[in-house]
Amino acid sequence: MAIFDISEYQTRLRKTKERMQEKGIEVLVVTDPANMNYLTGYDGWSFYVHQCLIVLLDDEEPFWIGRGQDANGAKVTTWLNENHIIPYRDHYVQSTERHPMDFVCNILKEIGKSNATIGLEMDTYYFTAKCYTQLKLGLPLATFVDATSLVNYVRIIKSDKEIEYMRKAAKIVEKAMQTGIDAIEEGVRECDVVAQIMHAQISGTEEFGGDYPAIMPLLPSGKKTSTPHLTWTDEKYKSGIPVILELAGCYNRYHSPLSRTVFIGEPDPKVKYLADVVIEGLNATLDFIKPGVTCEEVEEVWRKTIAKSGFEKESRIGYSMGLNYPPDWGEHTASLRPGDKTVLEPNMTFHCIPGIWLDDYGVELSESFRVTENGIEVFANFPRKLFVKNATNVY
């Protein structure tokens, strides 16, 4: 039931092994659930317990290692043969006496890799300090090296099928964003708006349904728009405040994020002015992007554009994104910021989110796009403006 042809997974695995060889890595332990999905198709809400893939240079398939009750999930969702699906017993789960990485050590010993050079995804959400200490303890003759983002950089250029999934995700986020904007009104509870948004995210379109996004809907309002990563409360919306919506559509774990800003009532002139600055900067930035330019050159266009209006922004304005699991839809590779000299290539995909957050208010507008042969394709088709909600109309 894997969602790509086996040949595509095999190509991904070959490219991963090429990077392993370049770094002198004989064994790669993959714990990032997005990277596990990318190489095998594995898709389950099982990342709250320890699981991994073992990639060997001399084996045609990775080994999936995970909790026993999740092994059938690996059989259902991956392209792996059953002899490459290795479950561990439940007494390893959240135990103070043993650890799943003890089990991984025993497997590596059995297949003759106890003294190999082993790459670890050292800086991922689900690889803990305890994982590392148990591997070091159980494999004292092995050499461990940091392989963080090794697979992520294989993922950075998308296949045509991946792009197709992201286009479907964009259709879902268009619906979810419109649903949210329509629902925001004075006197309506924030949580009720989000409930409608999440229903739209999951129900998707008549042609295809949605998946759960890696990030919950972010909807700061009022003074809370001065920071981007707040969710919602059960408070009722009031007139005279801005509301930021940062959402994503998700299809087969592939995302298309989108953000917009709404003002309830007659817009505050300073919020309207800030929105105009953000829109001008976003438009100039997107118009500049094409293959061959670098991430830092893209950010420079934004920085120079907003500087004409007296604004500056320290944080990055975008990042590579696509396939992922909670808590993030970003790929943790290229960023649109000073110093990132990554050269853009066709079928790289980014979320460009040049929000500006001031002391008491902020404005966000963003677009997700893919780099084409001569420019970009913006995934979502949604008005790029400050939305204004009055008692009787929207404009």
Side-chain angles (χ1 to χ4, degrees):
M1 291 178 62
I3 61 173
F4 295 93
D5 292 338
I6 291 178
S7 60
E8 182 158 342
Y9 290 112
Q10 291 172 333
T11 297
R12 297 170 178 181
L13 187 61
R14 174 181 56 78
K15 292 179 179 179
T16 298
K17 290 181 178 181
E18 289 172 356
R19 288 181 176 267
M20 290 170 60
Q21 288 180 312
E22 291 171 2
K23 295 181 177 294
I25 296 172
E26 301 168 83
V27 178
L28 180 65
V29 180
V30 177
T31 52
D32 184 329
N35 291 339
M36 294 178 65
N37 177 294
Y38 184 74
L39 294 176
T40 68
Y42 181 68
D43 183 23
W45 193 283
S46 55
F47 40 83
Y48 68 95
V49 297
H50 294 294
Q51 57 185 19
C52 66
L53 296 180
I54 303 296
V55 180
L56 308 175
L57 289 176
D58 54 0
D59 199 305
E60 293 183 356
E61 297 181 20
F63 290 91
W64 178 93
I65 298 178
R67 189 179 185 181
Q69 64 185 245
D70 296 315
N72 281 342
K75 294 175 184 177
V76 168
T77 61
T78 75
W79 62 279
L80 302 178
N81 291 319
E82 288 193 17
N83 62 357
H84 279 67
I85 296 172
I86 305 175
Y88 59 76
R89 293 176 58 194
D90 218 62
H91 68 183
Y92 282 97
V93 175
Q94 297 164 2
S95 169
T96 58
E97 299 176 359
R98 59 190 65 84
H99 193 274
M101 286 301 160
D102 300 336
F103 183 85
V104 173
C105 289
N106 291 334
I107 296 298
L108 291 174
K109 289 175 184 176
E110 289 177 12
I111 61 178
K113 302 297 182 181
S114 60
N115 60 350
T117 299
I118 301 174
L120 303 175
E121 295 181 323
M122 300 283 283
D123 193 21
T124 57
Y125 298 116
Y126 302 102
F127 185 79
T128 65
K130 186 70 171 178
C131 289
Y132 184 59
T133 57
Q134 293 308 112
L135 287 169
K136 291 275 288 184
L137 183 65
L139 300 170
L141 300 180
T143 300
F144 294 100
V145 298
D146 188 358
T148 302
S149 297
L150 185 149
V151 180
N152 303 59
Y153 274 99
V154 176
R155 289 164 45 193
I156 197 169
I157 296 178
K158 310 300 185 293
S159 69
D160 291 343
K161 192 72 170 180
E162 290 177 290
I163 296 298
E164 176 188 329
Y165 290 161
M166 295 179 77
R167 288 181 180 133
K168 289 184 175 181
K171 293 297 182 185
I172 294 171
V173 80
E174 290 170 6
K175 178 183 175 184
M177 183 62 74
Q178 190 63 61
T179 297
I181 292 172
D182 290 346
I184 292 173
E185 298 284 357
E186 181 181 1
V188 175
R189 294 192 305 173
E190 294 178 2
C191 55
D192 293 329
V193 171
V194 173
Q196 293 185 54
I197 289 170
M198 294 182 71
H199 181 273
Q201 288 175 313
I202 305 305
S203 63
T205 72
E206 291 184 0
E207 293 77 24
F208 48 84
D211 207 341
Y212 61 90
I215 300 177
M216 287 288 101
L218 303 175
L219 274 87
S221 62
K223 289 186 177 181
K224 290 181 286 187
T225 59
S226 63
T227 185
H229 297 136
L230 301 181
T231 53
W232 63 88
T233 71
D234 62 355
E235 295 177 358
K236 294 180 179 180
Y237 288 112
K238 300 176 182 179
S239 182
I241 63 168
V243 182
I244 287 174
L245 301 90
E246 183 179 349
L247 317 171
C250 185
Y251 183 80
N252 282 340
R253 306 302 327 138
Y254 283 83
H255 292 77
S256 181
L258 182 70
S259 65
R260 291 293 186 266
T261 300
V262 173
F263 201 93
I264 304 174
E266 190 64 31
D268 185 321
K270 64 178 184 280
V271 175
K272 179 65 169 65
Y273 180 68
L274 183 59
D276 291 340
V277 171
V278 171
I279 292 168
E280 179 186 11
L282 177 57
N283 288 340
T285 301
L286 295 176
D287 289 344
F288 172 78
I289 298 170
K290 60 184 177 181
V293 303
T294 65
C295 286
E296 67 176 1
E297 289 172 335
V298 172
E299 190 276 341
E300 184 179 16
V301 172
W302 156 262
R303 183 158 29 92
K304 288 182 176 179
T305 302
I306 66 170
K308 294 183 296 184
S309 301
F311 289 96
E312 59 182 41
K313 171 183 164 72
E314 188 276 332
S315 57
R316 66 182 181 175
I317 65 161
Y319 44 83
S320 180
M321 59 82 208
L323 164 68
N324 226 323
Y325 287 82
D328 187 18
W329 53 54
E331 289 182 329
H332 302 179
T333 52
S335 290
L336 304 178
R337 62 184 171 196
D340 193 322
K341 300 185 184 301
T342 303
V343 177
L344 301 190
E345 300 179 47
N347 274 16
M348 287 184 174
T349 55
F350 287 83
H351 182 209
C352 183
I353 179 166
I356 295 179
W357 305 279
L358 304 178
D359 289 341
D360 296 320
Y361 62 97
V363 169
E364 278 185 35
L365 288 96
S366 76
E367 300 287 1
S368 293
F369 67 87
R370 80 171 179 101
V371 181
T372 65
E373 295 296 333
N374 51 20
I376 64 169
E377 171 193 354
V378 176
F379 282 123
N381 180 16
F382 205 84
R384 199 176 297 165
K385 65 178 184 179
L386 175 68
F387 287 82
V388 178
K389 296 294 295 286
N390 286 332
T392 57
N393 57 66
V394 181
Y395 63 90

